[in-house]
Amino acid sequence: MRLVDTSAWIEWLIASPTGKSVDVAIPARAGWLVPTIVQLELAKWLAREVGEDKADQVIAFTLKCSVVPLDTKIALAAAEICSKHKLATADAVVYATALEYKADLLTCDAHFRGLPGVTFVSKTGA
């Protein structure tokens, strides 16, 4: 399983130079883990940047992947991760979800760089 972080989603969706690097690491839908916090972040970004119709299309796509709701076990693990790795709450939830499901995390967010189980794709200059 692979969890694609919001940062990687966005790069992939806008087909940026970084997104092209992300594209080769995108899993098949059956192997794609989507935490509900990523759905929230995507819906918010898409509605702001490209409109509600595109947001609806992308969220519909996420529903064809393995969607993972935030539960107590992940929330408590995220709280520990916040403290241990100094991650923001949403990032800690994403990472805790990846760990809980034994998935690797695909991201372009430097906050995750160097953490176990993370595939980091550095953003290229525009």
Side-chain angles (χ1 to χ4, degrees), residues 13-126:
L13 289 168
I14 65 172
S16 70
T18 302
K20 291 174 186 7
S21 297
V22 167
D23 187 53
V24 299
I26 293 288
R29 284 189 203 168
W32 193 328
L33 201 62
V34 182
T36 52
I37 190 81
V38 169
Q39 287 178 313
L40 180 154
E41 291 178 326
L42 282 173
K44 181 180 165 185
W45 182 87
L46 288 160
R48 183 183 68 238
E49 297 296 326
V50 294
E52 293 289 335
D53 287 341
K54 183 66 173 178
D56 290 345
Q57 291 172 13
V58 173
I59 296 305
F61 176 89
T62 68
L63 293 173
K64 295 177 181 176
C65 303
S66 297
V67 177
V68 179
L70 176 59
D71 63 16
T72 302
K73 186 174 183 181
I74 292 171
L76 294 175
E80 287 185 31
I81 288 168
C82 282
S83 177
K84 182 177 180 182
H85 296 292
K86 308 296 185 228
L87 292 177
T89 300
D91 289 342
V93 169
V94 167
Y95 191 56
T97 304
L99 294 175
E100 175 64 22
Y101 283 82
K102 297 177 180 33
D104 67 301
L105 174 61
L106 175 62
T107 187
C108 302
D109 186 340
H111 294 104
F112 294 108
R113 187 187 295 219
L115 293 176
V118 171
T119 299
F120 175 72
V121 178
S122 183
K123 290 185 182 182
T124 57

